[in-house]
Amino acid sequence: MSITRFVKPEGLPAFLAHLSKEARVLAPVVKPADKRSVVFEPWKEGKEFTLEKATVPAKAAVLPQCETLVSYRKVKDPANPQNVKLELDDTPQAETTVVFAARPCDARGYATLDRPYLQGPIADPYYKARREKLTVITLTCNSGCNTCFCHWVGGGPSSPEGSDILMTELKDGYILQGITPRGDALLEGSGLDDGADRFKEMEDVRKAAWGTLVKAPNLKDAQARVAAKFTDVDFWTRETDRCLSCGACTYFCPTCYCFNITDEGEATSEKGGRRLRSWDNCMSPLFTREASGHNTRMEKALRMRNRVSHKFSTYPENWGTFSCNGCGRCISNCPVSLDIRQIVLDAINADKAAK
Amino acid sequence: MRIGVFICHCGSNIAGTVDCAKVAENARMFPDVVLAQDIMYTCAEPGQAAIEAAIHEHKLDGVVVASCSPRIHEPTFRRTVERAGLNRYMFEMANIREHVSWIGKDKEANTNKATELVQIAVAKLRNDKPLKAKSFDVNKRVLIIGAGVAGIQAALDCAEGGIQVVLVEREATIGGKMAKLDKTFPTVDCSACILGPKMVDVAQHPNITLYAKSEVEDISGYVGNFSIKIRKRATYVDWDKCTGCGACTEKCPAKKTPDAFNELVGPTTAINIAFPQAIPKKAVINPEYCRQLTKGKCGVCAKVCPTGAINYEQQDEVITEEVGCIVAATGYDLMDWTVYEEYGGGRYPDVVTSLQYERLLSASGPTEGHIKRPSDGKEPKNIVFIQCVGSRDRSIGRPYCSGFCCMYTAKQAILTKDHIPDSKSYVFYMDIRANGKIYDEFTRRAMEEYGTEYIRGRVSKIYPDGEGHLIVRGVDTLLGEGVEVKADLVVLAVGVEAAKGSPHLAEKLRISYDSYGFFLESHVKLKPVETNTAGVYLAGVCQGVKDIPASVAQGSAAAAKVLGLFSRDKLENDPQIASVDMKRCVDCGKCIRCCPFGAIKEVEFRGKMYAQVIETVCQGCGLCTSTCPQGAIQLSHATDNQILAEVNTLCQC
Amino acid sequence: MKIAYYPGCSATGSSADYEKSTQAVCAALGMQMEEIRGWSCCGSTPAHAVDTQLSGALSARNLDLAARQKADMVLTPCPSCLSNLRHAAKRLENPEFRAGVNELLDEPLSEKLPEALSVMQGIARAYDTDAIAARVRKPLAGLKLAAYYGCLMSRPHEVMDFGDPENPTLMESLLTACGAEMVDFPLKTECCGASYGIPERAMTARLTGRILHLATMLGVDAVVVACPLCQMNLDLRQQQAAKEAGVAFSMPVLYYTQLMGIAFGLAPSALGLDKLCVSADSLLRKLDQPAAYSKAPEGDKA
Amino acid sequence: MPVLNGKELRIVGFLCNWCSYGGADTAGTARAGQPTDLRIIRVPCSGRIDPLFIVKALLNGADGVLVSGCHPRDCHYAAGNFYARRRLEVLKQFLPVLGIDDRRFEYTWVSASEGQRWQHVVQTFTKRIHDLGPAPKLEDPEPLLKVVDMALTSLRPLGTGQKNKLDELKAAIKAKLPELELVIGWQQGYDAARTVPLFMRTPEDVDKLVWGPFNVNNPAVYLPQYKGKKVGIVVKGCDAKSVVELLQENLINREDVTIFAMPCEGTLDMARVNQELGRYTTIDKVEYDEAGVTITADGKEHRFCMNDYAQGKCYGCTMPTAVISDTLIGTPTEVKPGPYTPPELALLDSMSLDERLAFWRGQMERCIRCYACRNACPMCVCRDYCIAESREPHWISQDDSTRDKLFFQTIHAMHLAGRCTGCGECQRACPVGIPILALRQQIARAVGQLFDGYKSGVDPEAVPPLLGYEVEEKNIHEREWK
């Protein structure tokens, strides 16, 4: 029986305050505008927050849009300006962080990122430093939405993967269930009332959530079908006619993990220079443009092929599971509503139609 | 990169209010700077030697000099670094004299500002790239526009220098205004005698192709490769056949044709030769007065012409000439003095311009040298000369002095005495401007030996007294009283302005001109015969008022420039020009549309279209670089990154 | 186009003949002019020398009265009045000056003031040469005249806007339309001595002498003027000028309105011809007109 | 090396080499005393000065920027300063919308001989900047999150376009399809409550064509990539303006593009529709009527009347029917132009300078540089080589800083000066809803005031204002240096 705690809605701010004593708490905050959006921001005492699904996933907790890998300074000897001392500092900056009210598809993102960043031949020290200090409290979904399809790809409205604590909304409050030892430890120290008596109610709510989902198609041979489509460029061209090759789908995706490295700043200035790692966007032609100007993926169809194939065939080839969590952000945030589900289904059904 | 920084004291000009040693010390901390020292006089020989030595010793690949304005010594120091084997564009300057030391006494602020200016110079230098000038071959032919005395001199000097000359003259004969003069000051030489031989030389010189009665219609191309369209006006006479015998002139019935060459003093015939020594000595028909061409019936000249040279159907002809550079020697015109109603506004026939008077004095003129009053043909006894008519007069927009009128009036006064011994000449003047060799002595002779009465004052009114005389009323400021002279003839020393159509020609040459139409020289003191447009030179009054000796001198000066330009087989272009990075160009055409010199064209490469810079036409203004949204076209030595380096160094918050 | 008329002080006094002939000619042409009710002196020469603000106010008041009578244009025969009215209008363009004038007057000036022109300009604007020629009954054929404008009417150009300041030609065109032959009179804008006739009599005599001498040399039948002061200096002081120049003069000096009146066939008495010192009889006889009464003591019996 | 704090402020000067730099030299030679704040950067010509240098300086710590070039007509390169004059005036009108006081930037013309005038210019400008004090930094103010007021009244009745003859349009397209490679239009998206661009190559594709308030995308964005190929496009009024602007800059050839048009009665603001719909799994049905649409999602009915839920641009639209078209189905609707300020611009107008700076800091923080705004813009034909992501030239760092993100928006706005037709796609495409349209609307308003009410995308022959110049500018006059 895992540790469970219960908290009333009014008790949440106190809970957050408790958490933010030792950690930076990232909570979803509403950004009012004609087009309203929800983004994760460091929570401070008295700051408003919401439990809606965030427009931008909390990937930045482990893979920030831009981080300094190395900061370097060249210190010149006034007497002899020719010899220059180089000071380097490549210690990863990591801060104990709690992601509050992520969604199962966000949390599962961390698991998807862990594989290449930690379980590969070399673990990325920067990612590792942050990942080890991260605690994820995930709010399970009580219903699906028009763009979610987590249950198509092995996830679900209450899938625990990547989370330390699962939080479920009940009629009069929230029950928090510890998943990992780190989660349990946090709950024990949280001083909240015990939630064991509400455990049964929690399971019913979670099962009910599954009921609201639209039946998922079977994607078991999606990996093979998508791989087979690799050489059919016409297919990809027709699928991406309307794509604008901007970066909305990749930057809003909780599982995209490609990055670019650039040097900025002047080594000899007081602030010194910095080697930056920032998100990269495989849908942009810059991703594969070579110094000569040649580009292996000049057409956007090839770039789309690369994105979809990576998530549905190459990643599964390496790690055995899709790297798409079905959060649907690439669909809801796309200026032309390009639907990755449609592409995968078209790839799967294409041979049936051909037969 | 290894940069050397040299801070100049400039004696006390900089060191007076800038701590040069401190600036050098600060400079040592800037990126890539391996050497920073201050020098007493960097531009002087030892200073330059110190830089060259430092380049060798410290294996520098970039130099920053902080001293005076780059507009003065950038070329100097570029040659210095080049002598030391460094590319001349791996060099930057910081202006810490005109922009720092000379404009403020606060030593601490000046030193800090000087340091910052050196810092941004270093920042720009770190982004500079070595640039090589490209060479292109030169068409060693010169176009000279205007065949007055300056144009003739330039043409002869160029031709003597072995250069092919294309000489274009708008009038039917060369010689310009000087050909119209009877005598010239200060020697009272006969103008035709000293100019005539040069005109003949022009006609006979094998290197000179003369296009008389022709105008430049269009100029395209660039220094070394200009393409000129010349419009040969129809003269209705086939000049190859015409021998200049003048038979047609005698028989032509249209005797009332206005004689432009003789400044409309007397009438002439519709077909005529301007004056006996005209070059080319060929007849020309004035289409507006020729009865054959206006009413369709006459044809007398065609009948009498021994060689059948008359051709009424002749049309204009446009010829294209390729040349390497151009000399503009288009001379001047007299301003329209009829704006002066007080002098009769042109209604009184006996009020004539100085040039008309020259034609009256000239033996080849309509009156064969006898001075006659245009109204009644009588010989005038009292002749009044009025100076500064349309010069030094801001009220009609002519504030400048026309330079040579005081001298030719003295000459005309002397000649008048010779022609009419018992005549009396009066000269109303403000100041006598006689600043040439034996010029003042010449005007003294006019006053003392020839009894010309010089009255210092302006004339307020000229009016006929009803008895055939002209009352000239003015004031004698030296006596402080009004003066009235009963004159038989009044000669106005009319002011000078640029030849008609100069602004239009300037636009074709792509040179600038001032509000009076005179062409703008590159530098009023140091480059009077060059313009800001490479390959276009000036000579004579088209650049500004001057007398014959100065015009001739400028003719030779322009020729010297041409010969200098053509002394090399290949011309080097200025490498600070734009270039297109084909990888980034999306052929949106914005740069092509905004380039003032049409120096960018669209080229096709592997099936796609790109912009490309014509290296010899690009002048390096950088308009295209700031117009291209994605920075695909960059002006070398002023690229976006170079300027951004300076901006980022200053604004780093 | 409503026209207001500003006669000026001399009209009711020394230049009554100019006034009579102006009214007659305008009536003959059918030009309705309504005299400004309650007009005052324009300040003439001395006012603006003493206080430009006050002199501006004087003329501005007249223009304002015309504006209140809904007039679009104000015509005045006398060049001095014209100069003052137009100078005032020009100075009113400067807001401070206008505010100063408004204080001086009982109530502020109306926004838009009518343009002041000379009667001659009014006639020329309203009727082109054909319309005037059509009105001529007795063409002035055979008459050789010299038009004399004086120094004030066309200067300064930017205020008076009366054609070329050195060579105005409006009188020539009007009188040519009436059939007269106009000579090119070079001294048309020379000074006649104006009000210096009193303190500097000799100088005025010399100036008028020169004008009359040239006119005589050019063999004209009369000098035509449009200014009361010029007429007086040239006509009244002809003997003094003759003494000064040492030449006998008998040159009639008429107003252009008198000549136009003659051309329109109006009665000499309606044109005040009897007021002339140098009788115009020789001129009239030339036109075989009944001789106007010579300067006999019997006065102007019809 | 910072400025001497306390004594100096950071004033950057851009001077043209031939005249103004010479003028500064002349002032120096004449020992004309001047304050020391100004640091002069020499450029070949005032035409070389990209307004973005000035914005880059002002956003990164400059307290004042002074630009000086040759007097118009004196330019050594003939037309350099004519172009500069237009660009710099547009920039000066644009700065206030960012929250930057436009008095901190000035441009003037000083010739090489005018040493004294240069001294006066430097003294006056330096004093003005010292009076204004140090420039506020973008990071200083607390983020201000104000929302655009979308309660607007339309210049014409908004509707759902049920009267247009969609079948006639489909027939017309099918007729022309054989000679065209494809025709671009709209089709239903992944559910009935949205549409997505449709690429019609076969008659079956044409059957998918829809016309109604959900047609929010601007198909013109795809035309430049098909330059040289025969394509067709179905356009609303605003889309047609983008086509005309592309023609004005010959980024497409008129003979290659076949334009189908129908009168548009307005489009829905999908942001507010989705917000009203909230979280749902399936759309049951969508009913259209004259005044609006009724969407039933997960059994719950939602009413969207066009007057309340249209996009901002539709309320002020004066050209609902395409300006040019080859096939127009239906009669164009006349709209009498009336007073209308775009809602985003109205919001910015209502704020003080400092509030605007705080506003943009608050908005740009959440931008994650996905560049959907750039790629949705039909005018951004150089998107693949954009200076937002390039090192040659290197305008912006990849650093996740609010200042660089705001700087990109100014790049986009300045590049659109005199070209933006106000189609609003950039703002609609922004996933985090930043009201960036306000910046483009401010520039369009300035261009309208400066160039006699010039509107882009209306006349295919007109030259975009910043790609041309007048020797005598009617509405741009040199400011005296009082």
Coordinates of all heavy atoms in Angstrom, one line a residue, chain B residues 69 71 74 95 99 103 106 108 113 116 583-584 593 621 623 626-627 629 638 640-641 648 650-651 653, chain D residues 1 7 10 17-18 21 25 34 36 38-39 42 47-48 56 60 77 83 87 248 385 391-392 394 415:
Chain B
S69 N 41.6 62.3 -37.6 CA 40.4 61.8 -38.4 C 40.9 60.9 -39.5 O 41.9 61.2 -40.2 CB 39.7 63.0 -39.0 OG 38.7 62.4 -40.0
R71 N 39.6 60.6 -42.2 CA 39.4 61.2 -43.5 C 40.8 61.8 -43.9 O 41.0 62.1 -45.1 CB 38.4 62.3 -43.3 CG 36.9 61.8 -43.3 CD 36.0 62.8 -42.8 NE 36.0 64.0 -43.6 CZ 35.2 64.2 -44.7 NH1 34.4 63.2 -45.1 NH2 35.2 65.3 -45.4
E74 N 43.8 58.0 -43.0 CA 43.6 56.5 -43.2 C 44.4 56.0 -44.4 O 45.1 55.0 -44.3 CB 42.1 56.2 -43.4 CG 41.7 54.8 -43.4 CD 40.2 54.5 -43.3 OE1 39.4 55.1 -44.0 OE2 39.8 53.8 -42.3
N95 N 39.3 58.2 -33.9 CA 39.6 59.6 -34.0 C 39.5 60.2 -32.6 O 38.4 60.6 -32.0 CB 38.4 60.2 -34.9 CG 38.7 61.7 -35.1 OD1 39.5 62.3 -34.4 ND2 38.1 62.2 -36.1
H99 N 37.5 64.4 -32.5 CA 36.3 64.0 -31.8 C 36.5 63.9 -30.3 O 35.5 63.6 -29.5 CB 35.8 62.7 -32.3 CG 35.3 62.8 -33.8 ND1 34.8 61.7 -34.5 CD2 35.3 63.8 -34.6 CE1 34.5 62.1 -35.7 NE2 34.8 63.4 -35.8
I103 N 37.8 68.9 -28.4 CA 36.5 69.4 -28.1 C 36.2 69.4 -26.6 O 35.0 69.6 -26.2 CB 35.4 68.7 -28.9 CG1 35.4 67.2 -28.5 CG2 35.6 68.8 -30.4 CD1 34.1 66.5 -29.0
D106 N 38.2 68.1 -20.1 CA 38.1 67.2 -19.0 C 38.9 65.9 -19.3 O 38.5 65.0 -20.0 CB 36.6 66.8 -18.8 CG 36.4 65.8 -17.7 OD1 37.4 65.2 -17.3 OD2 35.3 65.7 -17.2
E108 N 39.9 63.4 -17.6 CA 39.5 62.0 -17.2 C 38.4 61.5 -18.2 O 38.5 60.4 -18.7 CB 38.9 62.1 -15.8 CG 38.6 60.7 -15.2 CD 37.4 60.8 -14.1 OE1 36.8 61.9 -14.0 OE2 37.1 59.8 -13.5
K113 N 36.9 58.3 -22.9 CA 36.2 58.3 -24.2 C 37.2 57.7 -25.2 O 36.9 56.9 -26.0 CB 35.8 59.7 -24.6 CG 35.1 59.7 -26.0 CD 34.4 61.1 -26.2 CE 33.8 61.1 -27.6 NZ 33.0 62.3 -27.9
E116 N 37.4 54.1 -25.0 CA 36.3 53.4 -25.6 C 36.3 53.4 -27.1 O 36.0 52.4 -27.8 CB 35.0 54.1 -25.1 CG 34.5 53.6 -23.7 CD 33.0 53.6 -23.7 OE1 32.4 54.7 -23.9 OE2 32.4 52.6 -23.4
K583 N 24.4 31.6 -50.7 CA 23.7 30.6 -49.9 C 22.5 31.2 -49.2 O 21.4 30.6 -49.0 CB 24.6 30.0 -48.8 CG 25.9 29.3 -49.3 CD 26.5 28.4 -48.2 CE 27.1 29.3 -47.1 NZ 28.2 30.2 -47.5
R584 N 22.6 32.5 -48.9 CA 21.5 33.1 -48.1 C 20.5 33.9 -49.0 O 19.5 34.3 -48.5 CB 22.1 34.1 -47.1 CG 23.0 33.5 -46.0 CD 23.5 34.5 -45.0 NE 22.4 35.1 -44.3 CZ 21.7 34.5 -43.3 NH1 22.1 33.3 -42.9 NH2 20.7 35.1 -42.7
R593 N 16.5 46.7 -56.5 CA 15.6 47.8 -56.6 C 16.1 49.1 -56.0 O 16.0 50.2 -56.5 CB 14.2 47.4 -55.9 CG 13.0 48.2 -56.4 CD 11.9 47.9 -55.5 NE 11.1 46.7 -55.9 CZ 9.7 46.8 -56.1 NH1 9.1 47.9 -55.9 NH2 9.1 45.7 -56.5
C621 N 28.2 52.1 -51.0 CA 27.4 52.9 -50.1 C 26.8 52.0 -49.0 O 26.5 52.5 -47.9 CB 26.3 53.7 -50.9 SG 25.1 52.6 -51.6
L623 N 23.8 50.6 -49.1 CA 22.3 50.7 -49.1 C 21.7 49.3 -49.2 O 20.8 49.0 -48.5 CB 21.9 51.6 -50.3 CG 20.5 52.3 -50.1 CD1 20.4 53.0 -48.8 CD2 20.3 53.2 -51.3
S626 N 21.7 47.3 -45.9 CA 20.7 47.6 -44.9 C 19.3 47.3 -45.4 O 18.4 47.3 -44.6 CB 20.8 49.1 -44.5 OG 20.7 49.9 -45.6
T627 N 19.2 47.1 -46.7 CA 17.9 46.8 -47.3 C 17.6 45.3 -47.2 O 16.5 44.9 -47.0 CB 17.8 47.3 -48.7 OG1 18.2 48.7 -48.7 CG2 16.5 47.1 -49.3
P629 N 16.8 41.9 -46.0 CA 16.3 41.5 -44.7 C 17.1 40.4 -44.0 O 17.3 40.4 -42.8 CB 14.9 41.0 -45.0 CG 14.6 41.3 -46.4 CD 15.8 41.6 -47.1
A638 N 32.4 47.1 -44.0 CA 31.3 47.7 -43.2 C 30.1 46.7 -43.1 O 29.0 47.0 -43.4 CB 30.8 49.0 -43.9
D640 N 27.5 43.9 -41.5 CA 26.6 44.0 -40.3 C 27.4 43.6 -39.1 O 27.4 44.3 -38.0 CB 25.4 43.0 -40.5 CG 24.4 43.6 -41.4 OD1 24.4 44.9 -41.6 OD2 23.6 42.9 -42.0
N641 N 28.2 42.5 -39.1 CA 28.9 42.0 -38.0 C 29.9 43.0 -37.5 O 30.1 43.2 -36.3 CB 29.5 40.6 -38.3 CG 28.5 39.5 -38.1 OD1 27.4 39.8 -37.7 ND2 28.9 38.3 -38.4
N648 N 27.8 46.5 -30.0 CA 27.7 45.6 -28.9 C 28.8 46.0 -27.9 O 28.6 45.9 -26.6 CB 27.9 44.1 -29.3 CG 26.8 43.6 -30.1 OD1 25.7 44.2 -30.0 ND2 27.0 42.6 -30.9
L650 N 29.8 49.0 -27.2 CA 29.3 50.2 -26.5 C 28.1 49.8 -25.6 O 28.0 50.3 -24.5 CB 28.9 51.3 -27.5 CG 30.1 52.0 -28.3 CD1 29.5 52.9 -29.3 CD2 30.9 52.7 -27.3
C651 N 27.1 49.0 -26.2 CA 25.9 48.8 -25.5 C 25.8 47.3 -25.0 O 25.4 46.5 -25.7 CB 24.7 49.0 -26.4 SG 24.8 50.6 -27.2
C653 N 24.4 45.9 -21.9 CA 23.9 46.1 -20.5 C 23.5 44.7 -20.0 O 23.5 43.7 -20.7 CB 22.6 46.9 -20.6 SG 21.2 46.0 -21.1
Chain D
M1 N 34.4 49.0 -21.1 CA 34.7 50.2 -20.4 C 33.4 51.1 -20.3 O 32.9 51.6 -21.3 CB 35.7 51.0 -21.4 CG 36.8 51.7 -20.7 SD 37.7 50.6 -19.7 CE 38.9 51.7 -19.1
K7 N 28.8 61.2 -14.6 CA 29.1 62.4 -15.5 C 28.5 62.2 -16.9 O 28.0 63.1 -17.5 CB 30.6 62.5 -15.7 CG 31.3 63.6 -14.8 CD 32.6 64.0 -15.5 CE 33.7 64.3 -14.4 NZ 35.0 64.2 -14.9
R10 N 25.2 56.9 -21.9 CA 25.6 56.2 -23.1 C 24.9 56.8 -24.3 O 23.7 56.6 -24.5 CB 25.3 54.7 -22.9 CG 25.5 53.9 -24.2 CD 27.0 54.0 -24.7 NE 27.9 53.2 -23.8 CZ 29.2 53.5 -23.8 NH1 29.7 54.5 -24.4 NH2 30.0 52.8 -23.0
N17 N 30.2 59.0 -43.4 CA 31.6 59.4 -43.6 C 31.8 60.7 -44.4 O 32.6 61.5 -44.0 CB 32.3 58.2 -44.3 CG 33.7 58.6 -44.8 OD1 34.5 59.0 -44.0 ND2 34.0 58.4 -46.1
W18 N 31.0 60.9 -45.4 CA 31.3 62.0 -46.3 C 30.9 63.4 -45.8 O 31.6 64.3 -45.9 CB 30.6 61.7 -47.7 CG 31.1 60.5 -48.3 CD1 30.5 59.2 -48.2 CD2 32.3 60.3 -49.1 NE1 31.3 58.3 -48.8 CE2 32.4 58.9 -49.4 CE3 33.2 61.2 -49.6 CZ2 33.4 58.4 -50.2 CZ3 34.3 60.7 -50.4 CH2 34.3 59.3 -50.7
Y21 N 30.5 63.0 -40.6 CA 31.7 62.7 -39.9 C 32.7 63.9 -40.2 O 33.4 64.4 -39.3 CB 32.3 61.4 -40.4 CG 33.4 60.8 -39.5 CD1 33.1 59.9 -38.5 CD2 34.7 61.2 -39.7 CE1 34.1 59.4 -37.7 CE2 35.7 60.7 -38.9 CZ 35.4 59.8 -37.9 OH 36.4 59.3 -37.1
D25 N 34.5 66.6 -37.7 CA 35.9 66.9 -37.8 C 36.1 68.4 -37.8 O 36.9 69.0 -37.1 CB 36.5 66.3 -39.1 CG 36.7 64.8 -39.0 OD1 36.5 64.3 -37.9 OD2 37.1 64.2 -40.0
Q34 N 32.4 70.4 -26.9 CA 31.2 69.6 -26.8 C 31.3 68.6 -25.6 O 32.4 68.3 -25.2 CB 31.1 68.7 -28.1 CG 30.8 69.5 -29.4 CD 31.3 68.6 -30.6 OE1 31.0 67.4 -30.7 NE2 32.0 69.3 -31.5
T36 N 31.2 65.1 -23.6 CA 32.0 63.9 -24.1 C 31.1 62.6 -24.3 O 31.7 61.6 -24.8 CB 33.1 63.6 -23.1 OG1 32.3 63.3 -21.8 CG2 34.1 64.7 -22.9
L38 N 29.0 61.5 -26.4 CA 28.8 60.8 -27.7 C 29.9 60.0 -28.1 O 31.1 60.4 -28.1 CB 28.5 62.0 -28.7 CG 28.3 61.5 -30.2 CD1 27.0 60.7 -30.3 CD2 28.3 62.7 -31.1
R39 N 29.6 58.7 -28.5 CA 30.7 57.8 -29.2 C 30.2 57.7 -30.6 O 29.1 57.2 -30.9 CB 30.7 56.5 -28.5 CG 30.9 56.4 -27.0 CD 32.1 57.2 -26.5 NE 32.3 56.9 -25.0 CZ 32.5 57.8 -24.1 NH1 32.2 59.1 -24.4 NH2 32.8 57.5 -22.9
R42 N 31.4 55.3 -37.5 CA 31.5 55.8 -38.8 C 30.9 54.8 -39.8 O 31.3 53.6 -39.7 CB 33.0 56.2 -39.2 CG 33.2 56.8 -40.6 CD 34.5 57.4 -40.7 NE 35.6 56.4 -40.8 CZ 36.4 56.2 -41.8 NH1 36.3 56.9 -42.9 NH2 37.4 55.3 -41.7
G47 N 22.5 55.8 -45.6 CA 21.6 54.7 -46.2 C 22.1 53.4 -45.7 O 21.4 52.4 -45.7
R48 N 23.4 53.3 -45.1 CA 23.9 52.0 -44.7 C 23.4 51.7 -43.3 O 23.4 50.6 -42.8 CB 25.5 52.1 -44.6 CG 26.2 51.0 -43.9 CD 26.0 49.7 -44.7 NE 26.5 48.5 -44.0 CZ 25.7 47.7 -43.2 NH1 24.4 48.0 -43.0 NH2 26.2 46.6 -42.6
K56 N 18.8 47.9 -31.6 CA 19.7 47.1 -30.8 C 20.4 47.9 -29.8 O 20.5 47.5 -28.6 CB 20.8 46.5 -31.8 CG 21.9 45.7 -31.2 CD 21.6 44.2 -31.2 CE 22.7 43.4 -30.6 NZ 22.2 42.0 -30.3
N60 N 19.8 47.7 -25.6 CA 20.9 47.1 -24.9 C 21.7 48.1 -24.1 O 22.9 47.9 -23.9 CB 21.9 46.3 -25.8 CG 21.2 45.0 -26.3 OD1 21.1 44.1 -25.6 ND2 20.7 45.1 -27.6
Y77 N 26.3 59.3 -52.5 CA 25.9 58.2 -53.3 C 24.5 58.5 -53.9 O 23.7 57.6 -54.2 CB 25.8 56.9 -52.4 CG 27.2 56.6 -51.8 CD1 27.4 56.9 -50.4 CD2 28.2 56.0 -52.5 CE1 28.6 56.6 -49.9 CE2 29.4 55.7 -51.9 CZ 29.6 56.0 -50.6 OH 30.8 55.7 -50.0
Y83 N 16.6 57.2 -48.9 CA 16.0 56.0 -48.3 C 16.1 56.1 -46.8 O 15.2 55.8 -46.0 CB 16.9 54.8 -48.8 CG 16.6 54.3 -50.2 CD1 17.4 54.7 -51.2 CD2 15.4 53.6 -50.5 CE1 17.1 54.3 -52.5 CE2 15.2 53.2 -51.8 CZ 16.0 53.5 -52.8 OH 15.7 53.2 -54.1
R87 N 13.3 55.5 -43.7 CA 13.4 54.4 -42.7 C 13.5 55.0 -41.3 O 12.8 54.5 -40.3 CB 14.7 53.7 -42.9 CG 14.7 52.8 -44.2 CD 16.0 52.2 -44.4 NE 16.2 51.6 -45.7 CZ 17.3 51.3 -46.2 NH1 18.4 51.6 -45.6 NH2 17.4 50.8 -47.4
Q248 N 3.3 43.2 -55.7 CA 4.0 44.5 -55.7 C 5.5 44.3 -55.6 O 6.3 45.1 -56.1 CB 3.5 45.4 -54.5 CG 2.2 46.0 -54.7 CD 1.8 46.8 -53.4 OE1 0.9 46.4 -52.6 NE2 2.4 47.9 -53.2
Y385 N 16.4 31.8 -44.0 CA 17.7 32.4 -43.7 C 17.6 33.5 -42.8 O 18.4 34.5 -42.8 CB 18.3 32.8 -45.1 CG 18.4 31.7 -46.1 CD1 17.4 31.5 -47.0 CD2 19.5 30.8 -46.1 CE1 17.4 30.4 -47.9 CE2 19.5 29.7 -47.0 CZ 18.5 29.5 -47.9 OH 18.5 28.5 -48.8
R391 N 24.4 33.4 -37.8 CA 25.6 33.9 -37.2 C 26.3 34.9 -38.1 O 27.2 35.6 -37.8 CB 26.6 32.8 -36.9 CG 26.1 31.6 -36.0 CD 26.1 32.0 -34.6 NE 27.5 32.2 -34.1 CZ 27.7 32.5 -32.8 NH1 26.6 32.6 -31.9 NH2 28.9 32.7 -32.3
E392 N 25.9 34.8 -39.4 CA 26.5 35.7 -40.4 C 25.3 36.4 -41.1 O 24.8 35.9 -42.1 CB 27.2 34.8 -41.5 CG 28.7 34.9 -41.5 CD 29.4 36.3 -41.3 OE1 29.0 37.2 -42.0 OE2 30.2 36.4 -40.4
H394 N 25.2 38.3 -37.2 CA 24.9 37.8 -35.9 C 24.2 38.8 -35.1 O 24.8 39.5 -34.3 CB 26.3 37.4 -35.3 CG 26.1 36.7 -33.9 ND1 27.1 36.7 -32.9 CD2 25.0 36.1 -33.4 CE1 26.6 36.1 -31.9 NE2 25.4 35.7 -32.1
H415 N 10.9 44.9 -40.7 CA 11.0 44.3 -42.0 C 9.6 44.4 -42.7 O 9.6 44.3 -43.9 CB 11.4 42.8 -41.9 CG 12.9 42.7 -41.7 ND1 13.5 41.5 -41.5 CD2 13.9 43.6 -41.7 CE1 14.8 41.7 -41.3 NE2 15.1 43.0 -41.4

